[in-house]
Amino acid sequence: MGEFEVHRVRFFGLVPAGVRCLALHPRGARLALARTDGAVEVYNFAANYFQEKVIPGHEARSVESLCWAAGDRLFGAGLGGDITEYELSRLSAARGADGGGGPIWSMAASGTGTRLAIGCEDGSVKIFQVVPGGIQFERNLDRRKGRVLCLSWHPSDAHIVAGSIDFFRVIDVTSGQTVQRIMVNHHAEKAKRECVVWAVALLSRGTVVSADSFGRVQFWNWEQGTLAESHTVSTSAVLSLAVSEKEDSIVVGTSTGATYQLQLLPVKLGGLEKRWVRTKPFQFHSHDVRAVAHSPTALISGGLDAQLVIRPLMEKMQKKGYDAVLRKFTFPHRRLVSCARKARLLLFQFSQYLELWRLGSTEETGKDGEVLPLCRMPEHLVQLKSKGPEHIYCSCVSPCGTWVGYSTASRFQLYRVRCDGDGLSLRKV
């Protein structure tokens, strides 16, 4: 092998964006992921969990909730108050509609995928129809005080459960009226402190599962308004919840970075009576687990530490192999660093600006593996800010170091770099 220099670059101050929400395709073939900077990613499970699409973020577009509807159509909603449909073939936000209720905290698609329900800041739940070319407002459901933080449809599409602070309510979709309102902190000793219902799920047999800020996962008989089971899984808040397709397994994520699995198991071997039991705890994250998903063969979690973790369920795997391996996506799956080899320059890409650095140099020589002292330290030459709210999608510096280009979702910019005695200058081409 020939001799070469290895530069240990420690001045790229990238802070990855955390995972805000997940949406598993009903057929389990794709996973949509939204980050805190508004970027949306799509992973293909059939192609070895390959990240096949990335839609860049936007300063004016936050994504609090994602869902698949009408087959392969992906919708997102956020605190801007708009419902956005993403055009996956063009990697852009194609169409949007005003929710009409202020910031949108939650969104869920019906079992048939033909309707969307959104939970708004003003306490309203609104129904939209998914039509060719966009969505169409259908009706308002019963409005109550308090923002709607989470939603879940019954598999029959007849009822919707909406979670707020201190309570959740079950709404009849046909009449639009609330048929049951249950206080989740009624039996708690710490009732003086408000209890936030962060996630809910309405099962086919009529059970409502709630996850709250007291660290509890509770099972309710909503028709009678009674608490069937309660499991305190954490001393901190339970932020997210997902149910398996067969409704016999639940995964929850907490603010301590831990995820837990609960399974519906027989009380006695061979008996018909079953109860929910906490079976598996996992500690894969260092920060809040804001989103979880439950595929037929794996538990999926995303945290504010920017990690996406896919843990296969070994009892669901037909055989041991590559699919049975724990996977952690801990870094961006696209190029954020560009090198100008001749000019010894590095271009670093951030969401809304670029940084151009000159590598340090040394005049010393040494043996293989030795760290050589620098006679000139790395130099930060320029910071190039992008105009407008769109985030930078890709960037590059030419090998000679005289051209820098970057692109957003709608425009491309090219700059000429000139080095003279007074320093460095950029000229837009």
Side-chain angles (χ1 to χ4, degrees), residues 30-72:
R30 280 174 161 182
L31 176 74
L33 177 152
R35 297 191 178 271
T36 53
D37 63 352
V40 175
E41 304 168 6
V42 177
Y43 292 83
N44 192 330
F45 283 18
N48 196 22
Y49 302 96
F50 171 66
Q51 185 192 77
E52 65 175 359
K53 300 179 187 296
V54 177
I55 301 174
H58 194 283
E59 285 298 300
R61 186 175 64 236
S62 69
V63 184
E64 291 291 319
S65 183
L66 283 173
C67 64
W68 297 92
D72 294 331

mmCIF file of all heavy atoms in Angstrom, residues 30-72:
data_model
loop_
_atom_site.group_PDB
_atom_site.id
_atom_site.type_symbol
_atom_site.label_atom_id
_atom_site.label_comp_id
_atom_site.label_asym_id
_atom_site.label_seq_id
_atom_site.Cartn_x
_atom_site.Cartn_y
_atom_site.Cartn_z
ATOM 1 N N ARG A 30 -43.660 -0.660 4.293
ATOM 2 C CA ARG A 30 -42.953 0.618 4.366
ATOM 3 C C ARG A 30 -43.143 1.252 5.734
ATOM 4 O O ARG A 30 -44.157 1.049 6.403
ATOM 5 C CB ARG A 30 -43.463 1.582 3.296
ATOM 6 C CG ARG A 30 -42.915 1.353 1.913
ATOM 7 C CD ARG A 30 -43.616 2.271 0.942
ATOM 8 N NE ARG A 30 -42.875 2.457 -0.296
ATOM 9 C CZ ARG A 30 -43.277 3.240 -1.275
ATOM 10 N NH1 ARG A 30 -44.382 3.928 -1.159
ATOM 11 N NH2 ARG A 30 -42.555 3.363 -2.361
ATOM 12 N N LEU A 31 -42.136 2.045 6.102
ATOM 13 C CA LEU A 31 -42.202 2.813 7.346
ATOM 14 C C LEU A 31 -41.891 4.265 7.022
ATOM 15 O O LEU A 31 -40.836 4.572 6.451
ATOM 16 C CB LEU A 31 -41.196 2.280 8.371
ATOM 17 C CG LEU A 31 -41.113 3.071 9.685
ATOM 18 C CD1 LEU A 31 -42.344 2.790 10.542
ATOM 19 C CD2 LEU A 31 -39.845 2.725 10.453
ATOM 20 N N ALA A 32 -42.808 5.167 7.373
ATOM 21 C CA ALA A 32 -42.587 6.600 7.210
ATOM 22 C C ALA A 32 -42.153 7.178 8.549
ATOM 23 O O ALA A 32 -42.684 6.809 9.598
ATOM 24 C CB ALA A 32 -43.854 7.294 6.714
ATOM 25 N N LEU A 33 -41.194 8.078 8.500
ATOM 26 C CA LEU A 33 -40.598 8.662 9.701
ATOM 27 C C LEU A 33 -40.494 10.168 9.519
ATOM 28 O O LEU A 33 -40.056 10.637 8.465
ATOM 29 C CB LEU A 33 -39.225 8.046 9.940
ATOM 30 C CG LEU A 33 -38.337 8.520 11.081
ATOM 31 C CD1 LEU A 33 -37.430 7.385 11.531
ATOM 32 C CD2 LEU A 33 -37.454 9.701 10.634
ATOM 33 N N ALA A 34 -40.901 10.931 10.521
ATOM 34 C CA ALA A 34 -40.766 12.387 10.484
ATOM 35 C C ALA A 34 -39.843 12.825 11.609
ATOM 36 O O ALA A 34 -39.925 12.315 12.731
ATOM 37 C CB ALA A 34 -42.125 13.060 10.640
ATOM 38 N N ARG A 35 -38.966 13.769 11.291
ATOM 39 C CA ARG A 35 -38.005 14.273 12.269
ATOM 40 C C ARG A 35 -38.405 15.662 12.750
ATOM 41 O O ARG A 35 -39.295 16.307 12.194
ATOM 42 C CB ARG A 35 -36.595 14.278 11.678
ATOM 43 C CG ARG A 35 -36.095 12.883 11.320
ATOM 44 C CD ARG A 35 -34.624 12.846 10.995
ATOM 45 N NE ARG A 35 -34.180 11.500 10.696
ATOM 46 C CZ ARG A 35 -33.738 10.635 11.608
ATOM 47 N NH1 ARG A 35 -33.676 11.001 12.872
ATOM 48 N NH2 ARG A 35 -33.352 9.427 11.259
ATOM 49 N N THR A 36 -37.721 16.097 13.798
ATOM 50 C CA THR A 36 -38.075 17.364 14.428
ATOM 51 C C THR A 36 -37.800 18.562 13.535
ATOM 52 O O THR A 36 -38.323 19.650 13.795
ATOM 53 C CB THR A 36 -37.319 17.520 15.755
ATOM 54 O OG1 THR A 36 -35.908 17.320 15.520
ATOM 55 C CG2 THR A 36 -37.786 16.491 16.767
ATOM 56 N N ASP A 37 -36.981 18.414 12.498
ATOM 57 C CA ASP A 37 -36.730 19.520 11.580
ATOM 58 C C ASP A 37 -37.691 19.528 10.404
ATOM 59 O O ASP A 37 -37.525 20.314 9.468
ATOM 60 C CB ASP A 37 -35.289 19.480 11.077
ATOM 61 C CG ASP A 37 -34.982 18.224 10.261
ATOM 62 O OD1 ASP A 37 -35.842 17.329 10.214
ATOM 63 O OD2 ASP A 37 -33.885 18.144 9.687
ATOM 64 N N GLY A 38 -38.713 18.655 10.425
ATOM 65 C CA GLY A 38 -39.706 18.611 9.368
ATOM 66 C C GLY A 38 -39.392 17.675 8.234
ATOM 67 O O GLY A 38 -40.217 17.514 7.319
ATOM 68 N N ALA A 39 -38.231 17.035 8.233
ATOM 69 C CA ALA A 39 -37.885 16.092 7.166
ATOM 70 C C ALA A 39 -38.678 14.793 7.333
ATOM 71 O O ALA A 39 -38.963 14.363 8.447
ATOM 72 C CB ALA A 39 -36.393 15.800 7.173
ATOM 73 N N VAL A 40 -39.026 14.191 6.198
ATOM 74 C CA VAL A 40 -39.776 12.933 6.184
ATOM 75 C C VAL A 40 -38.950 11.894 5.427
ATOM 76 O O VAL A 40 -38.451 12.177 4.325
ATOM 77 C CB VAL A 40 -41.157 13.110 5.526
ATOM 78 C CG1 VAL A 40 -41.878 11.771 5.403
ATOM 79 C CG2 VAL A 40 -42.007 14.086 6.326
ATOM 80 N N GLU A 41 -38.810 10.706 6.022
ATOM 81 C CA GLU A 41 -38.052 9.620 5.414
ATOM 82 C C GLU A 41 -38.951 8.402 5.264
ATOM 83 O O GLU A 41 -39.849 8.178 6.072
ATOM 84 C CB GLU A 41 -36.832 9.268 6.278
ATOM 85 C CG GLU A 41 -35.910 10.453 6.556
ATOM 86 C CD GLU A 41 -34.886 10.148 7.631
ATOM 87 O OE1 GLU A 41 -34.830 8.986 8.080
ATOM 88 O OE2 GLU A 41 -34.147 11.065 8.023
ATOM 89 N N VAL A 42 -38.695 7.620 4.232
ATOM 90 C CA VAL A 42 -39.455 6.389 3.982
ATOM 91 C C VAL A 42 -38.472 5.234 3.874
ATOM 92 O O VAL A 42 -37.519 5.292 3.083
ATOM 93 C CB VAL A 42 -40.305 6.502 2.700
ATOM 94 C CG1 VAL A 42 -41.026 5.183 2.430
ATOM 95 C CG2 VAL A 42 -41.307 7.637 2.815
ATOM 96 N N TYR A 43 -38.695 4.198 4.684
ATOM 97 C CA TYR A 43 -37.859 3.002 4.690
ATOM 98 C C TYR A 43 -38.644 1.845 4.086
ATOM 99 O O TYR A 43 -39.834 1.664 4.375
ATOM 100 C CB TYR A 43 -37.427 2.639 6.112
ATOM 101 C CG TYR A 43 -36.475 3.638 6.736
ATOM 102 C CD1 TYR A 43 -36.951 4.797 7.334
ATOM 103 C CD2 TYR A 43 -35.100 3.426 6.717
ATOM 104 C CE1 TYR A 43 -36.087 5.715 7.894
ATOM 105 C CE2 TYR A 43 -34.229 4.342 7.281
ATOM 106 C CZ TYR A 43 -34.726 5.487 7.880
ATOM 107 O OH TYR A 43 -33.871 6.397 8.425
ATOM 108 N N ASN A 44 -37.965 1.052 3.269
ATOM 109 C CA ASN A 44 -38.572 -0.087 2.597
ATOM 110 C C ASN A 44 -38.158 -1.358 3.324
ATOM 111 O O ASN A 44 -36.986 -1.755 3.300
ATOM 112 C CB ASN A 44 -38.129 -0.131 1.138
ATOM 113 C CG ASN A 44 -38.934 -1.111 0.316
ATOM 114 O OD1 ASN A 44 -39.411 -2.120 0.830
ATOM 115 N ND2 ASN A 44 -39.104 -0.816 -0.963
ATOM 116 N N PHE A 45 -39.102 -2.005 4.007
ATOM 117 C CA PHE A 45 -38.800 -3.224 4.756
ATOM 118 C C PHE A 45 -38.531 -4.396 3.830
ATOM 119 O O PHE A 45 -37.770 -5.299 4.182
ATOM 120 C CB PHE A 45 -39.960 -3.561 5.691
ATOM 121 C CG PHE A 45 -39.991 -2.709 6.932
ATOM 122 C CD1 PHE A 45 -39.300 -1.508 6.992
ATOM 123 C CD2 PHE A 45 -40.711 -3.101 8.042
ATOM 124 C CE1 PHE A 45 -39.321 -0.719 8.121
ATOM 125 C CE2 PHE A 45 -40.744 -2.325 9.185
ATOM 126 C CZ PHE A 45 -40.049 -1.125 9.220
ATOM 127 N N ALA A 46 -39.150 -4.404 2.658
ATOM 128 C CA ALA A 46 -38.943 -5.521 1.738
ATOM 129 C C ALA A 46 -37.548 -5.500 1.139
ATOM 130 O O ALA A 46 -37.069 -6.525 0.656
ATOM 131 C CB ALA A 46 -39.992 -5.490 0.632
ATOM 132 N N ALA A 47 -36.884 -4.342 1.165
ATOM 133 C CA ALA A 47 -35.538 -4.209 0.597
ATOM 134 C C ALA A 47 -34.514 -4.017 1.712
ATOM 135 O O ALA A 47 -33.683 -3.109 1.665
ATOM 136 C CB ALA A 47 -35.486 -3.051 -0.382
ATOM 137 N N ASN A 48 -34.606 -4.853 2.738
ATOM 138 C CA ASN A 48 -33.614 -4.845 3.824
ATOM 139 C C ASN A 48 -33.562 -3.495 4.553
ATOM 140 O O ASN A 48 -32.497 -2.984 4.873
ATOM 141 C CB ASN A 48 -32.226 -5.200 3.269
ATOM 142 C CG ASN A 48 -31.259 -5.582 4.369
ATOM 143 O OD1 ASN A 48 -31.679 -5.974 5.460
ATOM 144 N ND2 ASN A 48 -29.975 -5.458 4.104
ATOM 145 N N TYR A 49 -34.759 -2.938 4.818
ATOM 146 C CA TYR A 49 -34.888 -1.689 5.579
ATOM 147 C C TYR A 49 -34.110 -0.548 4.929
ATOM 148 O O TYR A 49 -33.553 0.308 5.613
ATOM 149 C CB TYR A 49 -34.422 -1.880 7.025
ATOM 150 C CG TYR A 49 -35.157 -2.962 7.772
ATOM 151 C CD1 TYR A 49 -34.632 -4.241 7.867
ATOM 152 C CD2 TYR A 49 -36.387 -2.708 8.351
ATOM 153 C CE1 TYR A 49 -35.312 -5.243 8.540
ATOM 154 C CE2 TYR A 49 -37.075 -3.706 9.036
ATOM 155 C CZ TYR A 49 -36.533 -4.969 9.117
ATOM 156 O OH TYR A 49 -37.202 -5.952 9.786
ATOM 157 N N PHE A 50 -34.118 -0.525 3.612
ATOM 158 C CA PHE A 50 -33.383 0.503 2.883
ATOM 159 C C PHE A 50 -34.129 1.830 2.954
ATOM 160 O O PHE A 50 -35.357 1.876 2.801
ATOM 161 C CB PHE A 50 -33.208 0.077 1.428
ATOM 162 C CG PHE A 50 -32.650 1.139 0.532
ATOM 163 C CD1 PHE A 50 -31.361 1.600 0.704
ATOM 164 C CD2 PHE A 50 -33.416 1.686 -0.492
ATOM 165 C CE1 PHE A 50 -30.836 2.577 -0.119
ATOM 166 C CE2 PHE A 50 -32.899 2.655 -1.325
ATOM 167 C CZ PHE A 50 -31.606 3.102 -1.129
ATOM 168 N N GLN A 51 -33.395 2.927 3.193
ATOM 169 C CA GLN A 51 -33.996 4.257 3.188
ATOM 170 C C GLN A 51 -34.137 4.701 1.736
ATOM 171 O O GLN A 51 -33.199 5.171 1.112
ATOM 172 C CB GLN A 51 -33.131 5.247 3.970
ATOM 173 C CG GLN A 51 -33.766 6.618 4.113
ATOM 174 C CD GLN A 51 -32.785 7.659 4.619
ATOM 175 O OE1 GLN A 51 -31.957 8.143 3.857
ATOM 176 N NE2 GLN A 51 -32.862 7.970 5.901
ATOM 177 N N GLU A 52 -35.336 4.561 1.196
ATOM 178 C CA GLU A 52 -35.523 4.787 -0.238
ATOM 179 C C GLU A 52 -35.904 6.216 -0.579
ATOM 180 O O GLU A 52 -35.698 6.652 -1.722
ATOM 181 C CB GLU A 52 -36.578 3.839 -0.789
ATOM 182 C CG GLU A 52 -37.976 4.050 -0.244
ATOM 183 C CD GLU A 52 -39.013 3.162 -0.921
ATOM 184 O OE1 GLU A 52 -38.623 2.407 -1.829
ATOM 185 O OE2 GLU A 52 -40.187 3.245 -0.549
ATOM 186 N N LYS A 53 -36.454 6.991 0.369
ATOM 187 C CA LYS A 53 -36.884 8.346 0.057
ATOM 188 C C LYS A 53 -36.614 9.276 1.233
ATOM 189 O O LYS A 53 -36.779 8.886 2.393
ATOM 190 C CB LYS A 53 -38.387 8.387 -0.290
ATOM 191 C CG LYS A 53 -38.769 7.530 -1.510
ATOM 192 C CD LYS A 53 -40.252 7.590 -1.771
ATOM 193 C CE LYS A 53 -40.641 6.613 -2.873
ATOM 194 N NZ LYS A 53 -40.027 6.943 -4.166
ATOM 195 N N VAL A 54 -36.216 10.514 0.911
ATOM 196 C CA VAL A 54 -36.050 11.573 1.906
ATOM 197 C C VAL A 54 -36.663 12.848 1.348
ATOM 198 O O VAL A 54 -36.277 13.308 0.274
ATOM 199 C CB VAL A 54 -34.567 11.815 2.255
ATOM 200 C CG1 VAL A 54 -34.444 12.975 3.232
ATOM 201 C CG2 VAL A 54 -33.931 10.569 2.839
ATOM 202 N N ILE A 55 -37.635 13.390 2.068
ATOM 203 C CA ILE A 55 -38.248 14.669 1.701
ATOM 204 C C ILE A 55 -37.682 15.716 2.647
ATOM 205 O O ILE A 55 -37.868 15.634 3.860
ATOM 206 C CB ILE A 55 -39.776 14.597 1.814
ATOM 207 C CG1 ILE A 55 -40.316 13.501 0.890
ATOM 208 C CG2 ILE A 55 -40.401 15.945 1.467
ATOM 209 C CD1 ILE A 55 -41.793 13.251 1.033
ATOM 210 N N PRO A 56 -36.940 16.704 2.137
ATOM 211 C CA PRO A 56 -36.274 17.662 3.036
ATOM 212 C C PRO A 56 -37.259 18.483 3.843
ATOM 213 O O PRO A 56 -38.418 18.662 3.453
ATOM 214 C CB PRO A 56 -35.467 18.543 2.064
ATOM 215 C CG PRO A 56 -36.128 18.368 0.739
ATOM 216 C CD PRO A 56 -36.685 16.990 0.724
ATOM 217 N N GLY A 57 -36.771 18.997 4.972
ATOM 218 C CA GLY A 57 -37.615 19.758 5.870
ATOM 219 C C GLY A 57 -37.886 21.167 5.387
ATOM 220 O O GLY A 57 -37.358 21.634 4.365
ATOM 221 N N HIS A 58 -38.695 21.865 6.172
ATOM 222 C CA HIS A 58 -39.129 23.219 5.836
ATOM 223 C C HIS A 58 -39.358 23.954 7.152
ATOM 224 O O HIS A 58 -39.968 23.413 8.077
ATOM 225 C CB HIS A 58 -40.420 23.150 5.014
ATOM 226 C CG HIS A 58 -40.786 24.423 4.321
ATOM 227 N ND1 HIS A 58 -41.356 25.495 4.985
ATOM 228 C CD2 HIS A 58 -40.677 24.803 3.021
ATOM 229 C CE1 HIS A 58 -41.579 26.474 4.116
ATOM 230 N NE2 HIS A 58 -41.174 26.075 2.918
ATOM 231 N N GLU A 59 -38.870 25.187 7.245
ATOM 232 C CA GLU A 59 -38.969 25.935 8.493
ATOM 233 C C GLU A 59 -40.413 26.198 8.895
ATOM 234 O O GLU A 59 -40.720 26.292 10.078
ATOM 235 C CB GLU A 59 -38.222 27.270 8.361
ATOM 236 C CG GLU A 59 -36.711 27.132 8.401
ATOM 237 C CD GLU A 59 -36.222 26.565 9.718
ATOM 238 O OE1 GLU A 59 -36.477 27.183 10.763
ATOM 239 O OE2 GLU A 59 -35.595 25.497 9.705
ATOM 240 N N ALA A 60 -41.306 26.336 7.940
ATOM 241 C CA ALA A 60 -42.703 26.642 8.240
ATOM 242 C C ALA A 60 -43.567 25.397 8.338
ATOM 243 O O ALA A 60 -44.786 25.514 8.463
ATOM 244 C CB ALA A 60 -43.265 27.583 7.169
ATOM 245 N N ARG A 61 -42.968 24.203 8.271
ATOM 246 C CA ARG A 61 -43.757 22.973 8.281
ATOM 247 C C ARG A 61 -43.223 22.023 9.345
ATOM 248 O O ARG A 61 -42.177 21.408 9.176
ATOM 249 C CB ARG A 61 -43.706 22.314 6.899
ATOM 250 C CG ARG A 61 -44.613 21.094 6.771
ATOM 251 C CD ARG A 61 -44.611 20.548 5.357
ATOM 252 N NE ARG A 61 -43.309 20.045 4.952
ATOM 253 C CZ ARG A 61 -42.648 20.449 3.892
ATOM 254 N NH1 ARG A 61 -43.141 21.381 3.111
ATOM 255 N NH2 ARG A 61 -41.459 19.948 3.585
ATOM 256 N N SER A 62 -43.950 21.923 10.456
ATOM 257 C CA SER A 62 -43.624 20.925 11.468
ATOM 258 C C SER A 62 -44.530 19.715 11.269
ATOM 259 O O SER A 62 -45.666 19.847 10.816
ATOM 260 C CB SER A 62 -43.820 21.498 12.876
ATOM 261 O OG SER A 62 -45.200 21.706 13.132
ATOM 262 N N VAL A 63 -44.039 18.557 11.615
ATOM 263 C CA VAL A 63 -44.793 17.315 11.425
ATOM 264 C C VAL A 63 -44.990 16.669 12.798
ATOM 265 O O VAL A 63 -44.039 16.154 13.382
ATOM 266 C CB VAL A 63 -44.072 16.355 10.464
ATOM 267 C CG1 VAL A 63 -44.934 15.117 10.212
ATOM 268 C CG2 VAL A 63 -43.749 17.042 9.144
ATOM 269 N N GLU A 64 -46.211 16.721 13.304
ATOM 270 C CA GLU A 64 -46.541 16.087 14.580
ATOM 271 C C GLU A 64 -47.111 14.696 14.399
ATOM 272 O O GLU A 64 -47.089 13.897 15.329
ATOM 273 C CB GLU A 64 -47.557 16.954 15.347
ATOM 274 C CG GLU A 64 -47.012 18.273 15.846
ATOM 275 C CD GLU A 64 -46.001 18.093 16.967
ATOM 276 O OE1 GLU A 64 -46.243 17.240 17.843
ATOM 277 O OE2 GLU A 64 -44.980 18.787 16.965
ATOM 278 N N SER A 65 -47.637 14.405 13.215
ATOM 279 C CA SER A 65 -48.269 13.113 12.990
ATOM 280 C C SER A 65 -48.192 12.745 11.520
ATOM 281 O O SER A 65 -48.283 13.616 10.641
ATOM 282 C CB SER A 65 -49.737 13.154 13.445
ATOM 283 O OG SER A 65 -50.348 11.894 13.298
ATOM 284 N N LEU A 66 -48.008 11.454 11.251
ATOM 285 C CA LEU A 66 -47.988 10.895 9.908
ATOM 286 C C LEU A 66 -48.972 9.741 9.830
ATOM 287 O O LEU A 66 -49.192 9.034 10.818
ATOM 288 C CB LEU A 66 -46.598 10.382 9.535
ATOM 289 C CG LEU A 66 -45.497 11.366 9.148
ATOM 290 C CD1 LEU A 66 -44.186 10.608 8.987
ATOM 291 C CD2 LEU A 66 -45.826 12.127 7.884
ATOM 292 N N CYS A 67 -49.539 9.515 8.655
ATOM 293 C CA CYS A 67 -50.363 8.314 8.474
ATOM 294 C C CYS A 67 -50.480 7.995 6.986
ATOM 295 O O CYS A 67 -50.412 8.886 6.126
ATOM 296 C CB CYS A 67 -51.752 8.477 9.098
ATOM 297 S SG CYS A 67 -52.772 9.746 8.354
ATOM 298 N N TRP A 68 -50.624 6.694 6.707
ATOM 299 C CA TRP A 68 -50.868 6.208 5.348
ATOM 300 C C TRP A 68 -52.375 6.094 5.138
ATOM 301 O O TRP A 68 -53.111 5.673 6.029
ATOM 302 C CB TRP A 68 -50.226 4.847 5.136
ATOM 303 C CG TRP A 68 -48.735 4.829 5.259
ATOM 304 C CD1 TRP A 68 -48.014 4.579 6.383
ATOM 305 C CD2 TRP A 68 -47.784 5.059 4.213
ATOM 306 N NE1 TRP A 68 -46.669 4.635 6.117
ATOM 307 C CE2 TRP A 68 -46.491 4.924 4.780
ATOM 308 C CE3 TRP A 68 -47.884 5.362 2.857
ATOM 309 C CZ2 TRP A 68 -45.334 5.085 4.037
ATOM 310 C CZ3 TRP A 68 -46.731 5.524 2.112
ATOM 311 C CH2 TRP A 68 -45.477 5.384 2.695
ATOM 312 N N ALA A 69 -52.840 6.466 3.956
ATOM 313 C CA ALA A 69 -54.265 6.372 3.639
ATOM 314 C C ALA A 69 -54.431 6.082 2.155
ATOM 315 O O ALA A 69 -53.553 6.393 1.350
ATOM 316 C CB ALA A 69 -54.992 7.664 4.011
ATOM 317 N N ALA A 70 -55.577 5.491 1.827
ATOM 318 C CA ALA A 70 -55.933 5.210 0.429
ATOM 319 C C ALA A 70 -54.810 4.506 -0.312
ATOM 320 O O ALA A 70 -54.394 4.907 -1.404
ATOM 321 C CB ALA A 70 -56.318 6.507 -0.283
ATOM 322 N N GLY A 71 -54.294 3.468 0.311
ATOM 323 C CA GLY A 71 -53.216 2.710 -0.322
ATOM 324 C C GLY A 71 -51.857 3.249 0.047
ATOM 325 O O GLY A 71 -51.419 3.129 1.187
ATOM 326 N N ASP A 72 -51.182 3.868 -0.922
ATOM 327 C CA ASP A 72 -49.805 4.322 -0.720
ATOM 328 C C ASP A 72 -49.694 5.836 -0.604
ATOM 329 O O ASP A 72 -48.630 6.399 -0.862
ATOM 330 C CB ASP A 72 -48.919 3.833 -1.869
ATOM 331 C CG ASP A 72 -48.778 2.323 -1.879
ATOM 332 O OD1 ASP A 72 -48.855 1.718 -0.791
ATOM 333 O OD2 ASP A 72 -48.615 1.751 -2.970
#
